Amino acid sequence: MKFSKSFIPTLKEVPSEAVIPSHILMIRAGLVRQLSAGIYTWLPLGYRVVRKITEIIREEMNAIGGQEFHFPALNPKEIWEQTGRVEAFGDTLFHVKNRDYVLAPTHEEIVAWHAQGALTSYKDLPQIWYQIQTKFRNEPRPRSGVIRGRQFLMKDSYTLDRTFEDLDIAYDKHDKAYRKIFDRSGLKYFIVGASSGAMGGSKSEEFMVKSDAGEDTVAYCGKCGYAANVEVAQSVSVNAARDNESKQLFEIPTPDVKSIDELCAFLKIDEHETAKSRVYMHDDKPVLVLMLGNDEVNESKLGPALGGNVRPCHPEELKEISGADAGSIGPIGFKYRIIADNLLEGANNLYSGANKNDYHLGGIDMKRDVPNIEYFDLRTVESGEKCVRCGSTLEVFKAIELGHIFKLGTKYSVALGVNYLDENGKEHPVVMGSYGIGVERIFACYLEQNYDEKGIIWKKPLAPFDIHLIGLNMKNSLIDETSNKIYEELQKEGYEVLFDDRNDVSAGVKFNDADLIGMPVQIVIGEKNLKDGRVEIKLRAKNEKQIVELPQLNNKLKELI
RNA sequence: CGGGGAGUAGCUCAGCCCGGCUAGAGCGCUUGGUUUGGGACCAAGAAGUCGCAGGUUCGAAUCCUGUCUCCCCGACCA
């Protein structure tokens, strides 16, 4: 493709709407333009990358027996009502105003609808149906460029099986295919076991990429691969101590001491000798939650531990419940249910609030003084703590979800009546699985992992072109002739070539554009080398330049690409 | 939805607090010329309903009210 005739609007300045590297690079390199919040147009260069990604996905999905469909994005609302998901999605689902249609945010319903009555025999199963399609979700807050948009490309596949055992096989095939897809895309990723949430299913795994732009926080062990969302992550951490002797309870005046840090400083004690109190309202009954030292209550763990509705108490409720304000609340004399984090189990000689403003208690023995307490894992894992599986150090960081594989079970097949007859003529619901990949997230994550101060660094699999051919001074007829000839030859050799044949920009502009757009190999045709019958080859990744005799160019490229 | 920031030329932004003639800069763009191995130079030029609506005023980019849009943090996120 000739640069002079292409729409590649590169930008020297950083556009104000972009914050994260991948977004900035996409805009600056002329890959994408925003139309509205969370809605993007892929420009020709960027769309080439999208197609490289989708082609990798197709190959791997076909390799496990997937059949490519194209389901409609516009769906009758009625079908969505049958599974209760119009309500479940709520405002996230786009509704069409002048018809009872919705814009599909995913396609379980439509797959089930087509399967119903069509897959009627055990002989029809298993099936793997997939598509690469535009999805619509009314995200309340689109962000991070294409990473969270209101319209986005998704590869979604659905497996239809007879039994849960067969589902295991289909799930495993997807697990392997996904690894291949992300490996081939050149991404560094890891896998997190996750709870299946509102999709309604049992087992699921998320494929994640470490990134500050991520929306999930995960704990990860580099040694054994343990990875979990911090909402559920566990770690080995040190229990509060139990001394041989328990002191008697004693009251300490602690004027203006509220936080654990202030308490430790005031009494000159260690954080691990203290217990922090938080009061929650659980189905209209107060619950005191005790944490060791300064540990924060992990509300994602607290909810499931208690069941029902849980919310933090309002400050004005605290006094009535405990007799004190926040900062002076503690377990002794607290009249309602008390639960604590596991780390506090059996500890003694602890300091905590006295349920009396400006007073704390010392000498608390959990066994002796708080006999009816219940223990749960309520901590939030922090970086530096030890892995529960192998004991090495955990890292906590933000991550982007690239893909997710679910064992759905029979939720949708039951709701929409997708049944088959087995060998004995007995009817069963089809067992389903659902598997998604965010196509643009592969794109964005690749960029997050492959750039430098000059711009993007493509590797061959996703690069829009293999070679960026640069004719420096195109008004020089020898350069013009030679570079055009090389352009033709390289294409005959089967390379995808972007040819910077512009005659109205200086060399510096071409070099900088080439580095910004980031094709793996640059070939520079300039007077300096051409007068000796040579050209320069530059590898973008290593910033390595080599001078090559013209007749050797082809061999050299075979070696490099 | 809560909190914060922003909307002025294609892009990045100044001007706004403290109202005043024809609204500015850099980059980009057009034309001519000189350049051509790291965003080069000279000259001439085009380009703006100052987000929108209403109000205050002799006079509004500037003050007031409303509204829309975009960005960031949070909530939410099959």
Side-chain angles (χ1 to χ4, degrees):
Chain A
M1 193 163 89
K2 290 192 172 176
F3 204 121
S4 64
K5 296 183 174 60
S6 308
F7 184 64
I8 308 176
T10 59
L11 255 40
K12 207 187 318 192
E13 284 171 297
V14 176
S16 58
E17 78 257 32
V19 174
I20 63 167
S22 60
H23 192 196
I24 293 171
L25 288 166
M26 275 186 200
I27 297 172
R28 285 197 55 216
L31 307 178
V32 84
R33 281 283 170 89
Q34 177 173 320
L35 178 63
S36 177
I39 305 176
Y40 293 85
T41 296
W42 287 110
L43 308 187
L45 207 55
Y47 197 57
R48 289 181 74 98
V49 177
V50 170
R51 286 179 47 189
K52 301 255 170 157
I53 295 169
T54 52
E55 206 41 47
I56 290 173
I57 293 174
R58 271 193 189 93
E59 286 172 19
E60 296 303 335
M61 289 309 298
N62 292 343
I64 61 168
Q67 304 163 79
E68 186 168 7
F69 281 61
H70 190 85
F71 298 104
L74 203 53
N75 293 180
K77 195 204 270 183
E78 190 187 350
I79 299 179
W80 284 79
E81 276 162 350
Q82 288 176 42
T83 54
R85 288 220 292 182
V86 171
E87 204 186 10
F89 268 100
D91 195 48
T92 303
L93 187 66
F94 277 111
H95 293 253
V96 173
K97 270 187 182 163
N98 55 354
R99 284 265 177 192
D100 275 342
Y101 290 152
V102 296
L103 290 176
T106 173
H107 279 83
E108 282 79 9
E109 278 77 0
I110 307 310
V111 165
W113 190 89
H114 282 293
Q116 195 275 328
L119 300 176
T120 50
S121 159
Y122 70 94
K123 293 174 196 160
D124 298 328
L125 302 173
Q127 295 280 327
I128 299 177
W129 294 1
Y130 80 97
Q131 67 167 342
I132 296 167
Q133 225 248 22
T134 302
K135 296 290 194 285
F136 298 88
R137 293 184 195 178
N138 185 21
E139 295 293 344
R141 191 187 150 208
R143 67 181 93 183
S144 305
V146 301
I147 290 173
R148 178 166 292 271
R150 295 208 167 110
Q151 169 175 346
F152 57 97
L153 264 183
M154 185 180 194
K155 187 292 296 180
D156 44 327
S157 48
Y158 305 89
T159 55
L160 302 140
D161 282 289
R162 301 173 63 186
T163 63
F164 282 84
E165 288 72 32
D166 289 351
L167 171 60
D168 288 343
I169 295 167
Y171 181 89
D172 192 51
K173 280 182 180 173
H174 276 83
D175 179 75
K176 291 198 169 72
Y178 275 35
R179 289 167 200 255
K180 283 188 183 158
I181 290 165
F182 299 133
D183 284 340
R184 286 181 61 185
S185 301
L187 294 173
K188 297 189 256 312
Y189 64 95
F190 60 94
I191 297 167
V192 175
S195 62
S196 44
M199 283 296 286
S202 49
K203 189 183 175 186
S204 81
E205 275 171 348
E206 293 173 338
F207 293 75
M208 314 282 290
V209 163
K210 179 180 178 181
S211 165
D212 290 336
E215 302 179 299
D216 294 290
T217 308
V218 296
Y220 179 69
C221 173
K223 194 170 172 203
C224 74
Y226 171 77
N229 197 303
V230 285
E231 290 178 1
V232 297
Q234 296 183 321
S235 66
V236 179
S237 39
V238 187
N239 263 60
R242 179 162 188 93
D243 301 332
N244 288 336
E245 270 187 43
S246 285
K247 296 177 190 158
Q248 289 304 304
L249 285 172
F250 57 98
E251 196 175 82
I252 317 154
T254 49
D256 290 328
V257 172
K258 302 255 185 269
S259 70
I260 291 291
D261 285 344
E262 287 165 1
L263 184 67
C264 291
F266 185 79
L267 296 175
K268 300 194 170 47
I269 54 173
D270 187 82
E271 189 179 304
H272 284 79
E273 299 174 68
T274 66
K276 172 156 70 184
S277 304
R278 285 276 182 270
V279 184
Y280 286 82
M281 204 55 96
H282 173 221
D283 292 340
D284 299 326
K285 285 189 216 103
V287 180
L288 178 69
V289 180
L290 273 185
M291 300 299 294
L292 174 60
N294 236 342
D295 288 352
E296 285 301 332
V297 177
N298 186 335
E299 293 182 7
S300 321
K301 289 182 177 178
L302 180 65
L306 292 174
N309 286 317
V310 182
R311 64 158 176 88
C313 282
H314 306 299
E316 53 274 20
E317 292 171 327
L318 293 176
K319 188 104 182 216
E320 195 184 324
I321 293 165
S322 71
D325 292 312
S328 300
I329 298 172
I332 310 297
F334 190 83
K335 297 186 193 67
Y336 306 91
R337 187 176 178 190
I338 304 176
I339 67 172
D341 182 62
N342 286 333
L343 293 186
L344 281 168
E345 184 156 14
N348 67 353
N349 297 328
L350 287 168
Y351 294 85
S352 194
N355 292 321
K356 185 162 120 187
N357 278 352
D358 296 326
Y359 285 90
H360 280 76
L361 289 177
I364 299 171
D365 181 334
M366 299 297 282
K367 284 186 182 167
R368 179 191 67 196
D369 304 322
V370 202
N372 293 325
I373 195 164
E374 301 153 77
Y375 292 98
F376 298 95
D377 171 24
L378 299 171
R379 296 191 70 248
T380 304
V381 171
E382 287 171 22
S383 266
E385 294 175 359
K386 301 297 174 203
C387 174
V388 282
R389 234 199 256 162
C390 76
S392 86
T393 307
L394 288 174
E395 215 187 325
V396 173
F397 50 74
K398 296 260 189 188
I400 297 168
E401 181 187 336
L402 275 178
H404 204 156
I405 57 178
F406 282 103
K407 292 185 182 177
L408 282 181
T410 56
K411 171 176 172 171
Y412 297 94
S413 44
V414 168
L416 291 160
V418 189
N419 299 313
Y420 71 95
L421 295 180
D422 68 13
E423 295 92 323
N424 306 313
K426 197 165 174 250
E427 194 173 61
H428 302 280
V430 166
V431 181
M432 290 178 64
S434 156
Y435 318 83
I437 290 178
V439 174
E440 288 111 329
R441 286 188 177 181
I442 292 182
F443 197 149
C445 287
Y446 179 87
L447 293 185
E448 290 286 327
Q449 292 180 351
N450 296 279
Y451 68 93
D452 62 16
E453 67 288 346
K454 284 289 200 175
I456 299 169
I457 302 172
W458 288 114
K459 290 177 202 139
K460 166 137 172 101
L462 303 192
F465 291 92
D466 304 321
I467 295 169
H468 194 143
L469 176 66
I470 303 169
L472 282 186
N473 179 7
M474 294 300 286
K475 284 176 184 162
N476 174 318
S477 58
L478 182 60
I479 292 179
D480 184 26
E481 254 169 54
T482 311
S483 54
N484 269 292
K485 200 167 134 239
I486 293 173
Y487 175 56
E488 299 298 333
E489 281 168 5
L490 290 174
Q491 290 189 112
K492 272 189 208 126
E493 287 291 320
Y495 295 112
E496 294 178 291
V497 185
L498 178 62
F499 175 25
D500 195 340
D501 61 332
R502 291 176 291 179
N503 61 11
D504 56 349
V505 296
S506 67
V509 172
K510 295 188 179 187
F511 286 131
N512 281 305
D513 270 349
D515 287 345
L516 173 62
I517 299 171
M519 254 44 98
V521 175
Q522 296 172 14
I523 300 175
V524 183
I525 318 291
E527 265 170 279
K528 199 172 78 184
N529 289 308
L530 195 57
K531 66 178 176 0
D532 305 322
R534 298 168 176 175
V535 296
E536 177 186 301
I537 297 180
K538 175 175 152 178
L539 298 181
R540 177 65 180 87
K542 295 176 189 152
N543 201 24
E544 220 174 67
K545 294 173 187 171
Q546 32 190 310
I547 312 297
V548 182
E549 303 281 339
L550 262 178
Q552 297 306 316
L553 179 60
N554 231 320
N555 287 335
K556 194 70 196 170
L557 287 173
K558 287 205 174 94
E559 201 179 292
L560 293 172
I561 299 181

